[in-house]
Structure formats: C-alpha cells, structure tokens
Amino acid sequence: MNMNNLLNEENEGYIWEGDYEQTWKDIQEDETGTLRTATDSVSYQARKRQLLEKQSHIRLSMMRHMFVVIDASACMNDKDLKPNRLICVQRQVEKFAFSFFDQNPISQLGLIVTRNKSAEKISDLVGNPKKFVDKIQGLKEKGCQGEPSLQNSLELSLASLKHVKSHSSREILIIMGSMTTCDPGDIFSTINECKKHKIRCSIIGLSAEIHVCKKICSELEGIYSVILDELHLNDLFQRVAFPLPNSDNGAQTLMRMGFPQHKILKPEEVSMCLCHMETNETRFSNGGYFCPICDSKYCELPIECKVCGLTLVMAPHLARSYHHLFPLEPFKETNLELEENSDTANISENCSGCQFLMNKNAFQCNFCKKMYCIECDIFIHETLHSCPSCTSPIN
C-alpha cells in the first residue's frame, strides 16, 4: 500500500492519528420533535450569561480602535481544533469581524500576524469588515512557522495605536496558541509603555494559562481566557465584541463629527477618492461622500478625513450605538410546567415571536408580560434591542 494515500487532503498527518468522533451523538430530539445539537444548551447558557452581565448607565467605549494579533507559529498546526488551530481561528475571526462592526459601527479593526519570532502588520486599521476579512483570507498561504513574539506584536500595535485620539479606546486582542514567546528585549518595559498610552490588551489562549499572558492582561486591564473547545472560543469572541466599560475617568470632552451626503457629480467631473489614494487600487468615479469642511471625497463611511481629521459618519451609525447605553432589561425566566400546575396560570404555550410551541422554559417580558422562547429571547436582546410586543401598534 502506498503510504501517501493515507495522508489527508491537507497533509496534516495520517488518518488513524485523528480522533474518533461519534458525531451522531451530538444530535438530540427535544419534546416537540425538533432536532437539536447537544451543544446548543451550552451556547444558550453562555449567551444568556452575557446578556445578564450587561449594565445600564455606565460609560462605554463607543469608538474602538483594535488590533487583532493572530499567532501563526508552528503550534497552530495542531489538530485539537478542527481541521487545525489556524483555520479554526481564521473562521472565528471572520465571524468576529462582522459581529464587532455590528456592535461597534464607528470603530476600526486591524490585523497583525506573529511568526518566526517577529510580527507583521497584515491590515492597518479599517472601518469596513469586508476589507478586513479579505486580508484574513491569505493568512494560511505562508503557513505556520517558528515561534511567536508577544513583545514585537505589542510594539507594532503600539506604534499605530498611540496616535489614535484620546476619545477613542485603544485595544489589542491576541489569539495565542503557543506556550512560549521569543522576545528581543524586556517585555515588561513594553507593557509599561502600553499602559502609559492607556492601551487595553485581552488574550484568548488555545493551550493553557501562561504567566506572562496573565500579567499582560492584569496590567493592561484586559480579559484573559483559555478556551475549552471551538464553541467556547466563539463565545469568547462575542464577549470581546461587546464594548467594555471605559476605564478612563477623565473629564468628558466633545468631539466634532461630520455627516456627509452622497453626491453624484457630472460625468466629466471624475476624480479619485482619498481612501484608495495610498493603495495600489485606483478607483475613479464621479460620486462619493464629500467632507463638509475640506470637500475631500471618500467612497465609504465611517472614516476619518485624511486632510482635516474630521470623523465622517452617518446618522444610522450613531443610532446603532445608542442601545449600548440603555440595554433592554433581561426577560424573566419561567418554567411552564410549574405555571401549568398553578391555579393562576393563564399562559400560552406558543411563543409570541415565532409562534412555535415552547419547551418547559420560557422568557417573559417585564412590561407586556408576553412569553418568548429562548431563541427569540436572544434574538430580541442581541439584534432588535426592543420587545416587539411592547412596540407593536396593536398593543
């Protein structure tokens, strides 16, 4: 037998080296006959816990500038996450990018990769999730090599974040798979420099808890967590996507914003937008968003004007950030089986949102007293941010 035939498609090892997975055991049938995965309940509990942690009337960082640092060292070829760590992290970061901009529409993301004892900036800070995801697509072309460097990653992020205006938060998110770091100097001096510029750093570990990672998150007021599985990794990304409380207790300052309208000029008035001026891509058009101060043209919003420095946004961007300040109160969890046995129960067994039959657990709005299933409850709190029954004209 040819041994090469026993290698899998990605040449990551022999077939018999993979774990024996009984995927059919993940499928379960609930009381209504609906098929669900066994991990659904764990995911729902984590998301409900995240909703309960939200507090109202606290100062949040609405404008966030964050660099995502991905470990691309040799240990990212391990297959404890399927198909391997790097591809799994790449998929999760792509989902995180869209969730991040959905929760923080006037923020920006950048991408840094660390391998071979160095750090490389793949994408500068951008405000468009599609641009960010396009940069991630080529992450696995160079493969996983050498060791990571936390110090080089922090210094490269610091070089860009220290120029961000004070009204915006400066954050770093590191996905660390290796249990070692190869640094050229004293990493604690770099930590102090980041602390001086009020940079917050959070780390998601894929292997085990590491002292230096715990020290970084402790000094820079970040969150340090070690994953249990891919589902837990997704929950940790969703936790970071939500804006954290602002640690800066300084005086509140007003900031200038511009709200440009999209204009289409005459066909002969063709020009190039400033957002593509620094790239190799040339894009000429007779339409775009024009800065109300310097009349510079841009093809997309939000963005910071490269000429006058004015923050250019649209009104819906600010409206979508409003719900963080006054979050919807958590619904009261109710056991339908206990309510049915009580004499005062007069509760419908169908969900007020999707109209499907609910399981034993339901969630009741505190104002209109309508009942929702757990799927609709999470959808209302994460997407709608208002009870549909309370806002219905019928009520």
Side-chain angles (χ1 to χ4, degrees):
M1 177 184 292
N2 188 359
M3 297 298 294
N4 293 330
N5 294 334
L6 297 177
L7 294 175
N8 59 15
E9 295 179 356
E10 299 181 0
N11 296 323
E12 296 176 355
Y14 295 103
I15 294 177
W16 60 76
E17 291 179 350
D19 295 334
Y20 178 69
E21 299 178 357
Q22 296 178 337
T23 55
W24 59 87
K25 290 186 177 181
D26 291 337
I27 306 298
Q28 297 179 354
E29 185 177 354
D30 59 10
E31 294 84 351
T32 62
T34 305
L35 295 179
R36 300 180 180 274
T37 60
T39 57
D40 277 353
S41 60
V42 180
S43 177
Y44 290 145
Q45 292 174 5
R47 295 165 77 180
K48 285 298 296 181
R49 185 172 60 252
Q50 181 181 356
L51 293 176
L52 293 175
E53 290 175 354
K54 294 183 179 180
Q55 300 178 5
S56 60
H57 305 289
I58 58 175
R59 188 177 178 183
L60 299 176
S61 301
M62 306 306 296
M63 293 187 64
R64 308 171 64 186
H65 289 70
M66 176 186 290
F67 270 104
V68 179
V69 180
I70 298 180
D71 179 8
S73 59
C75 70
M76 295 298 284
N77 285 322
D78 293 348
K79 296 185 293 182
D80 48 358
L81 298 176
K82 304 299 180 183
N84 62 22
R85 288 183 177 180
L86 182 64
I87 298 178
C88 178
V89 168
Q90 177 183 339
R91 291 199 300 252
Q92 293 294 337
V93 172
E94 291 177 1
K95 293 169 58 179
F96 165 74
F98 288 99
S99 177
F100 178 85
F101 285 107
D102 181 63
Q103 299 289 337
N104 311 272
I106 55 177
S107 301
Q108 295 186 7
L109 271 182
L111 179 64
I112 293 176
V113 173
T114 173
R115 59 163 70 93
N116 285 332
K117 308 172 187 178
S118 62
E120 178 186 3
K121 184 188 294 184
I122 304 298
S123 171
D124 211 338
L125 293 170
V126 295
N128 190 334
K130 294 182 179 180
K131 285 186 177 181
F132 183 82
V133 170
D134 290 341
K135 297 292 184 180
I136 302 178
Q137 299 297 333
L139 189 61
K140 57 184 178 180
E141 293 180 357
K142 294 185 179 180
C144 304
Q145 304 170 2
E147 293 182 83
S149 176
L150 283 177
Q151 185 180 10
N152 288 329
S153 301
L154 290 176
E155 290 180 348
L156 187 58
S157 303
L158 175 62
S160 298
L161 291 177
K162 66 182 180 181
H163 301 293
V164 174
K165 295 180 180 179
S166 59
H167 59 253
S168 178
S169 68
R170 308 160 184 172
E171 302 178 45
I172 304 173
L173 174 62
I174 302 177
I175 296 91
M176 188 72 175
S178 175
M179 299 184 65
T180 60
T181 174
C182 186
D183 301 322
D186 184 11
I187 190 174
F188 296 103
S189 62
T190 306
I191 295 175
N192 293 332
E193 192 68 19
C194 292
K195 189 175 182 179
K196 176 183 175 182
H197 289 86
K198 299 179 181 180
I199 294 178
R200 171 180 283 157
C201 181
S202 300
I203 300 179
I204 298 177
L206 306 182
S207 299
E209 184 176 293
I210 306 173
H211 173 72
V212 66
C213 295
K214 189 174 182 180
K215 180 70 174 178
I216 291 174
C217 295
S218 175
E219 291 292 331
L220 302 182
E221 302 181 0
I223 302 173
Y224 180 43
S225 304
V226 180
I227 70 168
L228 302 175
D229 49 23
E230 185 174 353
L231 182 63
H232 188 215
L233 176 62
N234 180 64
D235 293 335
L236 292 178
F237 272 117
Q238 297 302 319
R239 183 180 180 185
V240 178
F242 184 80
L244 299 174
N246 195 340
S247 58
D248 187 9
N249 296 324
Q252 300 181 9
T253 57
L254 298 177
M255 59 172 298
R256 301 176 64 190
M257 281 190 174
F259 299 89
Q261 295 182 353
H262 191 274
K263 299 179 182 179
I264 299 179
L265 305 179
K266 299 178 181 179
E268 60 271 12
E269 297 180 351
V270 178
S271 60
M272 186 176 181
C273 59
L274 286 183
C275 47
H276 290 87
M277 193 75 72
E278 299 176 355
T279 61
N280 296 327
E281 181 183 0
T282 57
R283 181 179 297 180
F284 290 90
S285 64
N286 62 336
Y289 298 96
F290 293 86
C291 177
I293 293 182
C294 62
D295 208 34
S296 301
K297 188 178 77 171
Y298 299 92
C299 61
E300 59 188 20
L301 298 177
I303 198 170
E304 184 176 318
C305 182
K306 301 181 183 299
V307 178
C308 62
L310 182 67
T311 302
L312 304 178
V313 297
M314 299 177 66
H317 293 148
L318 295 180
R320 286 165 53 192
S321 302
Y322 178 79
H323 64 82
H324 291 304
L325 303 178
F326 304 98
L328 180 64
E329 293 184 5
F331 291 168
K332 179 183 177 182
E333 187 171 359
T334 305
N335 192 315
L336 294 180
E337 295 180 351
L338 297 178
E339 294 291 338
E340 289 177 357
N341 297 329
S342 64
D343 297 335
T344 59
N346 187 17
I347 300 176
S348 174
E349 295 183 353
N350 293 333
C351 172
S352 299
C354 62
Q355 300 300 321
F356 280 99
L357 187 67
M358 292 184 290
N359 297 328
K360 61 180 181 179
N361 291 329
F363 298 87
Q364 186 178 39
C365 176
N366 300 324
F367 298 99
C368 65
K369 306 302 180 182
K370 295 292 185 179
M371 306 294 292
Y372 296 95
C373 62
I374 188 169
E375 291 90 347
C376 291
D377 175 44
I378 294 177
F379 176 73
I380 290 172
H381 283 84
E382 290 189 350
T383 305
L384 295 182
H385 306 292
S386 61
C387 175
S389 298
C390 293
T391 57
S392 175
I394 300 178
N395 295 330

